[in-house]
Amino acid sequence: MPDRALRPEIERQLIQSKPFQFSHALTGLYDLRSTAARQRDMSWLLQMGACFSLLAIGIDAMNSVAIFRAALSLRLLVAAVCLFASLILRHQRPVWLETLAFSFPVILSQVVLAAIAQIAPPHVADRYAVTALFVGVLCNVIAPLRLGQGFGLSILSACVLPGVAVLLPGSLNLYRDLDLTLGGAAPILLATAMVVRNEAQRRRSFVLVIKAELAGEELERSNAELARLSVTDALTGVANRRQFDSELARLWGLRHQRSLGVALIDVDHFKLFNDSAGHAEGDLCLQIIARTVQGCVRERPDCVARYGGEEFVVLLPGVGHVELAAISERMRYAVESLAVPHPGRNDATVTISVGAAWCPAGNKDSTPADLLRNADAALYAAKAKGRNKVIVRHVMPDDKRRF
């Protein structure tokens, strides 16, 4: 995904539309995203060029047997070079190699066409010369060239016909056929504008894609946050009752595979705490207890939730009844060790009472309500024994009321 730090520049590009004034970071991302597709397109065009060079052998034979014999090896050379260059560009390459792999076959094909024009009879020479010019124009129009590549290739292409006319005397003369040798450079150079236009469009499309990706990322992040908030208690940060019910239903469906323990936690004398210290201090106390309880259980798969008011509940899948008792005692002791002063009770600290219930794996006769009912009864018993206690009950298949 794109870096969110690019958002201001993306917005600026959409407003000002300056596709050739990308920052260094945006240019790097653009090159990273576009190079592979650019080189695949170039590879495909080179393959088409190889096919054209092979098909043109038949055209040479139709024009003249002498042209066919003279041009056959040149046509095959161009086809081989195009195919070799297309294979190079099938995998992502550095820019310099990309430029060389595409430009060399293009210039070579133009040189070959210009050379054939020189050895061809005058009445067909101009056809080969025009085809050489057409190759230069076509590359600027349809090839996904970078700006530097487009300018460089245009200048070289414009020099091909005049150069061949000077170095290889034949049917075309530099001055006599000025309209082809020098005048033909004009459409090639004018077609360079297409390179600028095409590259600008690609960059604008890239900016729109990045904006859409950033918007999608932001939406995904917002949805994730909303989903988290919908299952999180706003005060304490632990799971809320809705998430607890969902997790209990899920884990209960797996009870044939593993046991399930639940611990109900009640803050002792919390109403008195609120009445004495105020609700703000009471909320802070609940937050401290929630963090402490979370620190006593496994991050996964255990689930700590606020059950309501000053009550918390902990789901502990896959634990034995002895381990459930040990974890419950650890939670009780951890809260007691905080030594949070209780303002409503002289020289007393905040404590919790814990009622736990354990259901063995394979228990098909019980329900989640049975598990919670036993935990609630255990919590009531712990409070009846003076609070700051832990009581654990077993939910057995043959007797749901058994301790």
Side-chain angles (χ1 to χ4, degrees):
M1 295 297 290
D3 191 343
R4 281 183 290 172
L6 293 175
R7 182 181 292 279
E9 184 177 358
I10 294 297
E11 297 295 340
R12 180 178 61 82
Q13 283 290 335
L14 291 173
I15 296 172
Q16 300 179 357
S17 187
K18 296 181 178 179
F20 298 112
Q21 295 184 14
F22 282 4
S23 68
H24 180 74
L26 193 58
T27 299
L29 182 60
Y30 173 70
D31 289 339
L32 181 65
R33 294 285 189 90
S34 64
T35 296
R38 188 192 303 270
Q39 293 180 0
R40 283 197 302 268
D41 291 343
M42 287 181 171
S43 176
W44 180 83
L45 288 173
L46 289 171
Q47 293 173 36
M48 294 301 100
C51 293
F52 170 78
S53 185
L54 294 175
L55 291 173
I57 295 174
I59 298 175
D60 295 338
M62 292 172 61
N63 287 328
S64 166
V65 175
I67 294 177
F68 167 76
R69 291 175 178 174
L72 178 60
S73 59
L74 296 176
R75 296 287 194 185
L76 293 175
L77 174 63
V78 170
V81 171
C82 287
L83 287 175
F84 179 71
S86 71
L87 291 176
I88 292 177
L89 292 178
R90 288 181 63 182
H91 304 284
Q92 190 163 330
R93 302 297 183 185
V95 175
W96 70 267
L97 185 55
E98 170 196 308
T99 303
L100 180 63
F102 186 77
S103 301
F104 181 72
V106 172
I107 298 300
L108 178 63
S109 65
Q110 289 182 285
V111 170
V112 167
L113 287 167
I116 296 175
Q118 291 297 76
I119 64 176
H123 67 282
V124 296
D126 58 343
R127 301 178 188 175
Y128 289 97
V130 169
T131 304
L133 296 175
F134 173 76
V135 170
V137 174
L138 187 66
C139 287
N140 282 333
V141 173
I142 67 173
L145 299 172
R146 305 172 194 268
L147 289 184
Q149 293 171 341
F151 294 144
L153 190 58
S154 294
I155 293 172
L156 291 175
S157 296
C159 296
V160 168
L161 270 180
V164 172
V166 171
L167 298 175
L168 183 64
S171 296
L172 297 178
N173 181 271
L174 178 64
Y175 299 105
R176 186 186 68 240
D177 303 296
L178 197 63
D179 58 332
L180 279 177
T181 55
L182 294 179
I188 295 178
L189 296 175
L190 288 175
T192 308
M194 293 299 297
V195 175
V196 179
R197 177 178 177 273
N198 293 340
E199 180 67 3
Q201 288 182 337
R202 282 191 290 268
R203 286 172 173 255
R204 292 189 189 101
S205 298
F206 165 75
V207 169
L208 291 174
V209 168
I210 296 300
K211 178 177 174 59
E213 290 182 2
L214 288 172
E217 182 185 8
E218 186 67 28
L219 179 61
E220 184 179 346
R221 188 163 50 249
S222 297
N223 288 338
E225 181 63 15
L226 287 174
R228 185 190 68 81
L229 292 175
S230 69
V231 296
T232 303
D233 178 63
L235 175 63
T236 61
V238 298
N240 58 17
R241 180 65 177 270
R242 174 185 177 185
Q243 175 66 2
F244 167 76
D245 291 339
S246 175
E247 191 68 7
L248 177 60
R250 184 185 71 83
L251 294 174
W252 192 259
L254 302 174
R255 68 188 183 283
H256 62 284
Q257 298 177 355
R258 55 182 177 178
S259 60
L260 180 61
V262 63
L264 276 175
I265 301 169
D266 184 78
V267 182
D268 297 327
H269 303 290
F270 188 71
K271 185 178 183 303
L272 184 58
F273 187 104
N274 264 345
D275 292 341
S276 303
H279 289 283
E281 289 297 321
D283 290 346
L284 179 60
C285 177
L286 291 178
Q287 292 170 353
I288 293 172
I289 292 174
R291 289 196 298 268
T292 303
V293 169
Q294 274 191 312
C296 295
V297 300
R298 300 166 295 184
E299 184 176 354
R300 287 190 175 184
D302 299 344
C303 173
V304 178
R306 189 179 180 189
Y307 201 60
E310 71 273 19
E311 286 190 327
F312 296 89
V313 61
V314 183
L315 280 173
L316 299 144
V319 299
H321 66 279
V322 175
E323 186 179 3
L324 174 61
I327 294 173
S328 298
E329 176 59 28
R330 184 162 68 238
M331 292 188 292
R332 184 208 64 79
Y333 180 74
V335 173
E336 183 183 39
S337 299
L338 294 174
V340 176
H342 195 301
R345 305 177 65 213
N346 294 332
D347 300 325
T349 60
V350 174
T351 59
I352 59 172
S353 298
V354 183
W358 178 76
C359 182
N363 185 345
K364 299 181 180 179
D365 298 327
S366 302
T367 66
D370 294 326
L371 184 67
L372 292 175
R373 187 163 42 249
N374 276 268
D376 191 58
L379 177 61
Y380 181 82
K383 298 178 75 171
K385 288 188 175 182
R387 295 183 170 83
N388 196 21
K389 299 286 191 300
V390 172
I391 300 292
V392 179
R393 279 191 167 190
H394 298 180
V395 181
M396 303 301 290
D398 56 342
D399 185 357
K400 300 175 187 177
R401 297 168 297 175
R402 181 175 173 182
F403 282 87

